[in-house]
PDB file of all heavy atoms in Angstrom:
ATOM      1  N   HIS A 255       4.894  -7.898 -15.110  1.00  0.00           N
ATOM      2  CA  HIS A 255       3.930  -7.807 -14.022  1.00  0.00           C
ATOM      3  C   HIS A 255       3.043  -9.050 -13.949  1.00  0.00           C
ATOM      4  O   HIS A 255       1.821  -8.991 -14.050  1.00  0.00           O
ATOM      5  CB  HIS A 255       3.107  -6.523 -14.116  1.00  0.00           C
ATOM      6  CG  HIS A 255       3.910  -5.315 -13.720  1.00  0.00           C
ATOM      7  ND1 HIS A 255       3.693  -4.061 -14.214  1.00  0.00           N
ATOM      8  CD2 HIS A 255       4.979  -5.194 -12.889  1.00  0.00           C
ATOM      9  CE1 HIS A 255       4.562  -3.224 -13.699  1.00  0.00           C
ATOM     10  NE2 HIS A 255       5.361  -3.891 -12.896  1.00  0.00           N
ATOM     11  N   THR A 256       3.731 -10.166 -13.781  1.00  0.00           N
ATOM     12  CA  THR A 256       3.050 -11.439 -13.568  1.00  0.00           C
ATOM     13  C   THR A 256       2.464 -11.448 -12.159  1.00  0.00           C
ATOM     14  O   THR A 256       3.155 -11.195 -11.181  1.00  0.00           O
ATOM     15  CB  THR A 256       4.026 -12.603 -13.759  1.00  0.00           C
ATOM     16  OG1 THR A 256       5.232 -12.345 -13.018  1.00  0.00           O
ATOM     17  CG2 THR A 256       4.389 -12.767 -15.216  1.00  0.00           C
ATOM     18  N   CYS A 257       1.213 -11.777 -12.078  1.00  0.00           N
ATOM     19  CA  CYS A 257       0.443 -11.578 -10.852  1.00  0.00           C
ATOM     20  C   CYS A 257       0.530 -12.769  -9.897  1.00  0.00           C
ATOM     21  O   CYS A 257       0.310 -13.914 -10.298  1.00  0.00           O
ATOM     22  CB  CYS A 257      -1.005 -11.312 -11.237  1.00  0.00           C
ATOM     23  SG  CYS A 257      -2.081 -10.961  -9.849  1.00  0.00           S
ATOM     24  N   GLY A 258       0.837 -12.492  -8.634  1.00  0.00           N
ATOM     25  CA  GLY A 258       0.778 -13.505  -7.591  1.00  0.00           C
ATOM     26  C   GLY A 258       1.542 -14.768  -7.905  1.00  0.00           C
ATOM     27  O   GLY A 258       2.734 -14.749  -8.231  1.00  0.00           O
ATOM     28  N   ASP A 259       0.837 -15.907  -7.835  1.00  0.00           N
ATOM     29  CA  ASP A 259       1.468 -17.214  -8.019  1.00  0.00           C
ATOM     30  C   ASP A 259       1.943 -17.472  -9.441  1.00  0.00           C
ATOM     31  O   ASP A 259       2.720 -18.398  -9.675  1.00  0.00           O
ATOM     32  CB  ASP A 259       0.488 -18.324  -7.618  1.00  0.00           C
ATOM     33  CG  ASP A 259       0.360 -18.470  -6.115  1.00  0.00           C
ATOM     34  OD1 ASP A 259       1.049 -17.733  -5.382  1.00  0.00           O
ATOM     35  OD2 ASP A 259      -0.431 -19.316  -5.664  1.00  0.00           O
ATOM     36  N   LEU A 260       1.481 -16.669 -10.408  1.00  0.00           N
ATOM     37  CA  LEU A 260       1.962 -16.855 -11.777  1.00  0.00           C
ATOM     38  C   LEU A 260       3.482 -16.650 -11.834  1.00  0.00           C
ATOM     39  O   LEU A 260       4.182 -17.378 -12.534  1.00  0.00           O
ATOM     40  CB  LEU A 260       1.267 -15.882 -12.732  1.00  0.00           C
ATOM     41  CG  LEU A 260       1.739 -15.923 -14.192  1.00  0.00           C
ATOM     42  CD1 LEU A 260       1.562 -17.312 -14.797  1.00  0.00           C
ATOM     43  CD2 LEU A 260       0.998 -14.869 -15.026  1.00  0.00           C
ATOM     44  N   ALA A 261       3.969 -15.684 -11.088  1.00  0.00           N
ATOM     45  CA  ALA A 261       5.412 -15.403 -11.084  1.00  0.00           C
ATOM     46  C   ALA A 261       6.199 -16.589 -10.536  1.00  0.00           C
ATOM     47  O   ALA A 261       7.241 -16.969 -11.092  1.00  0.00           O
ATOM     48  CB  ALA A 261       5.704 -14.150 -10.266  1.00  0.00           C
ATOM     49  N   THR A 262       5.716 -17.190  -9.461  1.00  0.00           N
ATOM     50  CA  THR A 262       6.457 -18.307  -8.869  1.00  0.00           C
ATOM     51  C   THR A 262       6.268 -19.595  -9.668  1.00  0.00           C
ATOM     52  O   THR A 262       7.165 -20.433  -9.729  1.00  0.00           O
ATOM     53  CB  THR A 262       6.035 -18.523  -7.410  1.00  0.00           C
ATOM     54  OG1 THR A 262       4.611 -18.577  -7.310  1.00  0.00           O
ATOM     55  CG2 THR A 262       6.534 -17.381  -6.543  1.00  0.00           C
ATOM     56  N   MET A 263       5.103 -19.737 -10.318  1.00  0.00           N
ATOM     57  CA  MET A 263       4.939 -20.873 -11.219  1.00  0.00           C
ATOM     58  C   MET A 263       5.935 -20.765 -12.374  1.00  0.00           C
ATOM     59  O   MET A 263       6.515 -21.766 -12.826  1.00  0.00           O
ATOM     60  CB  MET A 263       3.508 -20.920 -11.751  1.00  0.00           C
ATOM     61  CG  MET A 263       3.166 -22.184 -12.567  1.00  0.00           C
ATOM     62  SD  MET A 263       3.780 -22.178 -14.248  1.00  0.00           S
ATOM     63  CE  MET A 263       2.717 -20.933 -14.973  1.00  0.00           C
ATOM     64  N   MET A 264       6.168 -19.546 -12.854  1.00  0.00           N
ATOM     65  CA  MET A 264       7.135 -19.332 -13.922  1.00  0.00           C
ATOM     66  C   MET A 264       8.543 -19.731 -13.485  1.00  0.00           C
ATOM     67  O   MET A 264       9.319 -20.273 -14.284  1.00  0.00           O
ATOM     68  CB  MET A 264       7.125 -17.867 -14.369  1.00  0.00           C
ATOM     69  CG  MET A 264       5.931 -17.496 -15.233  1.00  0.00           C
ATOM     70  SD  MET A 264       5.904 -15.726 -15.666  1.00  0.00           S
ATOM     71  CE  MET A 264       7.427 -15.575 -16.601  1.00  0.00           C
ATOM     72  N   LEU A 265       8.882 -19.464 -12.233  1.00  0.00           N
ATOM     73  CA  LEU A 265      10.187 -19.884 -11.720  1.00  0.00           C
ATOM     74  C   LEU A 265      10.338 -21.398 -11.818  1.00  0.00           C
ATOM     75  O   LEU A 265      11.373 -21.913 -12.270  1.00  0.00           O
ATOM     76  CB  LEU A 265      10.346 -19.441 -10.258  1.00  0.00           C
ATOM     77  CG  LEU A 265      10.438 -17.947  -9.968  1.00  0.00           C
ATOM     78  CD1 LEU A 265      10.393 -17.711  -8.464  1.00  0.00           C
ATOM     79  CD2 LEU A 265      11.709 -17.357 -10.553  1.00  0.00           C
ATOM     80  N   ARG A 266       9.314 -22.111 -11.391  1.00  0.00           N
ATOM     81  CA  ARG A 266       9.361 -23.578 -11.423  1.00  0.00           C
ATOM     82  C   ARG A 266       9.357 -24.096 -12.856  1.00  0.00           C
ATOM     83  O   ARG A 266      10.010 -25.091 -13.172  1.00  0.00           O
ATOM     84  CB  ARG A 266       8.190 -24.143 -10.622  1.00  0.00           C
ATOM     85  CG  ARG A 266       8.248 -23.794  -9.131  1.00  0.00           C
ATOM     86  CD  ARG A 266       7.088 -24.407  -8.357  1.00  0.00           C
ATOM     87  NE  ARG A 266       7.237 -24.198  -6.928  1.00  0.00           N
ATOM     88  CZ  ARG A 266       6.543 -23.311  -6.218  1.00  0.00           C
ATOM     89  NH1 ARG A 266       5.643 -22.548  -6.810  1.00  0.00           N
ATOM     90  NH2 ARG A 266       6.741 -23.179  -4.919  1.00  0.00           N
ATOM     91  N   LEU A 267       8.584 -23.423 -13.713  1.00  0.00           N
ATOM     92  CA  LEU A 267       8.549 -23.778 -15.124  1.00  0.00           C
ATOM     93  C   LEU A 267       9.940 -23.630 -15.737  1.00  0.00           C
ATOM     94  O   LEU A 267      10.410 -24.509 -16.465  1.00  0.00           O
ATOM     95  CB  LEU A 267       7.546 -22.877 -15.845  1.00  0.00           C
ATOM     96  CG  LEU A 267       7.488 -22.945 -17.378  1.00  0.00           C
ATOM     97  CD1 LEU A 267       7.111 -24.350 -17.833  1.00  0.00           C
ATOM     98  CD2 LEU A 267       6.502 -21.917 -17.919  1.00  0.00           C
ATOM     99  N   TYR A 268      10.591 -22.537 -15.419  1.00  0.00           N
ATOM    100  CA  TYR A 268      11.922 -22.269 -15.964  1.00  0.00           C
ATOM    101  C   TYR A 268      12.953 -23.299 -15.497  1.00  0.00           C
ATOM    102  O   TYR A 268      13.705 -23.852 -16.301  1.00  0.00           O
ATOM    103  CB  TYR A 268      12.353 -20.862 -15.555  1.00  0.00           C
ATOM    104  CG  TYR A 268      13.788 -20.537 -15.875  1.00  0.00           C
ATOM    105  CD1 TYR A 268      14.241 -20.502 -17.193  1.00  0.00           C
ATOM    106  CD2 TYR A 268      14.704 -20.256 -14.857  1.00  0.00           C
ATOM    107  CE1 TYR A 268      15.564 -20.195 -17.486  1.00  0.00           C
ATOM    108  CE2 TYR A 268      16.014 -19.948 -15.144  1.00  0.00           C
ATOM    109  CZ  TYR A 268      16.451 -19.923 -16.457  1.00  0.00           C
ATOM    110  OH  TYR A 268      17.762 -19.629 -16.745  1.00  0.00           O
ATOM    111  N   THR A 269      12.974 -23.565 -14.211  1.00  0.00           N
ATOM    112  CA  THR A 269      14.011 -24.462 -13.680  1.00  0.00           C
ATOM    113  C   THR A 269      13.792 -25.911 -14.080  1.00  0.00           C
ATOM    114  O   THR A 269      14.741 -26.700 -14.099  1.00  0.00           O
ATOM    115  CB  THR A 269      14.083 -24.365 -12.145  1.00  0.00           C
ATOM    116  OG1 THR A 269      12.790 -24.662 -11.586  1.00  0.00           O
ATOM    117  CG2 THR A 269      14.514 -22.967 -11.708  1.00  0.00           C
ATOM    118  N   SER A 270      12.548 -26.285 -14.423  1.00  0.00           N
ATOM    119  CA  SER A 270      12.253 -27.683 -14.751  1.00  0.00           C
ATOM    120  C   SER A 270      12.209 -27.958 -16.256  1.00  0.00           C
ATOM    121  O   SER A 270      12.018 -29.108 -16.662  1.00  0.00           O
ATOM    122  CB  SER A 270      10.919 -28.098 -14.125  1.00  0.00           C
ATOM    123  OG  SER A 270       9.845 -27.343 -14.664  1.00  0.00           O
ATOM    124  N   SER A 271      12.369 -26.909 -17.073  1.00  0.00           N
ATOM    125  CA  SER A 271      12.248 -27.077 -18.522  1.00  0.00           C
ATOM    126  C   SER A 271      13.597 -26.878 -19.203  1.00  0.00           C
ATOM    127  O   SER A 271      14.079 -25.738 -19.290  1.00  0.00           O
ATOM    128  CB  SER A 271      11.232 -26.075 -19.090  1.00  0.00           C
ATOM    129  OG  SER A 271       9.973 -26.220 -18.470  1.00  0.00           O
ATOM    130  N   PRO A 272      14.197 -27.935 -19.707  1.00  0.00           N
ATOM    131  CA  PRO A 272      15.501 -27.804 -20.372  1.00  0.00           C
ATOM    132  C   PRO A 272      15.433 -26.932 -21.624  1.00  0.00           C
ATOM    133  O   PRO A 272      16.454 -26.376 -22.043  1.00  0.00           O
ATOM    134  CB  PRO A 272      15.874 -29.251 -20.713  1.00  0.00           C
ATOM    135  CG  PRO A 272      14.591 -30.018 -20.665  1.00  0.00           C
ATOM    136  CD  PRO A 272      13.748 -29.342 -19.657  1.00  0.00           C
ATOM    137  N   GLU A 273      14.239 -26.811 -22.225  1.00  0.00           N
ATOM    138  CA  GLU A 273      14.109 -25.998 -23.432  1.00  0.00           C
ATOM    139  C   GLU A 273      14.268 -24.500 -23.144  1.00  0.00           C
ATOM    140  O   GLU A 273      14.580 -23.716 -24.033  1.00  0.00           O
ATOM    141  CB  GLU A 273      12.735 -26.200 -24.084  1.00  0.00           C
ATOM    142  CG  GLU A 273      12.381 -27.643 -24.392  1.00  0.00           C
ATOM    143  CD  GLU A 273      11.584 -28.285 -23.265  1.00  0.00           C
ATOM    144  OE1 GLU A 273      11.707 -27.832 -22.101  1.00  0.00           O
ATOM    145  OE2 GLU A 273      10.826 -29.226 -23.552  1.00  0.00           O
ATOM    146  N   ILE A 274      14.001 -24.109 -21.898  1.00  0.00           N
ATOM    147  CA  ILE A 274      14.007 -22.683 -21.549  1.00  0.00           C
ATOM    148  C   ILE A 274      15.341 -22.340 -20.900  1.00  0.00           C
ATOM    149  O   ILE A 274      15.634 -22.776 -19.788  1.00  0.00           O
ATOM    150  CB  ILE A 274      12.846 -22.341 -20.606  1.00  0.00           C
ATOM    151  CG1 ILE A 274      11.511 -22.794 -21.219  1.00  0.00           C
ATOM    152  CG2 ILE A 274      12.815 -20.855 -20.312  1.00  0.00           C
ATOM    153  CD1 ILE A 274      10.314 -22.610 -20.301  1.00  0.00           C
TER     154      ILE A 274
END
Side-chain angles (χ1 to χ4, degrees):
H255 286 151
T256 48
C257 183
D259 284 359
L260 177 58
T262 50
M263 188 282 290
M264 284 177 62
L265 293 172
R266 296 182 173 105
L267 172 61
Y268 171 63
T269 57
S270 63
S271 303
E273 305 94 335
I274 306 175

